[in-house]
Amino acid sequence: METDFNGRRYQLELMEQIDFPSEKGNISGTLTYDGDRWGKYDFALSYDCMKYDDSSEEQLKEVFADFPILKLAEAVIAVFRGTEAEEFGFSYAGYYNQEIKAKWKRMPLVKLGKKLMEEKRMEDFHRIILDMEYRKKLLEEM
């Protein structure tokens, strides 16, 4: 995502992923402005190592509920809902899906992620990153 604000060009890259074999969700990204290498900020929920590492996948939603990264992801999802950005984002995700180890491709969660990607269900994928109740519901429907 790129935008101009107060005479500066900002670029936001946002990525949501589920790590294997832990099945922990993570939201990460980079914010840059004017292409300045000094104006670059990397962020991720997992950068708060103590909170992230000491929490199970079920606890992450509650532990990070008030983190700005989560609120930013919610806002970005809302902006791009129903736009061609969903198509672009999931085509990029397809590349990373190819890198998954063969033994993990049989896992129900990997199959669910692939299904959501193929069906361009951005919001559902976003929700299964940290919402374990919703993740379980979608897994049961498969």
Side-chain angles (χ1 to χ4, degrees), residues 100-124:
I100 295 174
K101 292 181 181 182
K103 67 180 181 179
W104 293 343
K105 289 185 178 185
R106 294 185 295 273
M107 294 175 70
L109 183 55
V110 174
K111 290 178 182 180
L112 175 60
K114 183 176 181 183
K115 177 183 178 188
L116 297 177
M117 179 184 66
E118 289 171 350
E119 294 176 2
K120 311 292 188 250
R121 292 169 57 186
M122 176 183 71
E123 287 187 72
D124 285 333

Side-chain angles (χ1 to χ4, degrees), residues 54-130:
D54 292 344
S55 300
S56 69
E57 65 271 15
E58 288 89 8
Q59 296 169 318
L60 291 175
K61 183 178 179 184
E62 182 179 330
V63 168
F64 290 104
D66 293 328
F67 268 51
I69 295 169
L70 186 55
K71 294 178 185 306
L72 176 64
E74 297 282 339
V76 169
I77 294 294
V79 167
F80 290 111
R81 181 181 297 125
T83 71
E84 63 186 42
E86 286 180 286
E87 179 78 28
F88 175 75
F90 276 111
S91 65
Y92 191 69
Y95 172 79
Y96 284 99
N97 196 40
Q98 294 172 3
E99 300 294 317
I100 295 174
K101 292 181 181 182
K103 67 180 181 179
W104 293 343
K105 289 185 178 185
R106 294 185 295 273
M107 294 175 70
L109 183 55
V110 174
K111 290 178 182 180
L112 175 60
K114 183 176 181 183
K115 177 183 178 188
L116 297 177
M117 179 184 66
E118 289 171 350
E119 294 176 2
K120 311 292 188 250
R121 292 169 57 186
M122 176 183 71
E123 287 187 72
D124 285 333
F125 186 80
H126 169 71
R127 284 189 62 188
I128 69 167
I129 297 299
L130 297 179

Side-chain angles (χ1 to χ4, degrees), residues 28-44:
S28 60
T30 302
L31 178 65
T32 57
Y33 62 87
D34 293 336
D36 180 358
R37 69 184 181 105
W38 300 110
K40 178 179 177 183
Y41 302 94
D42 294 320
F43 56 88

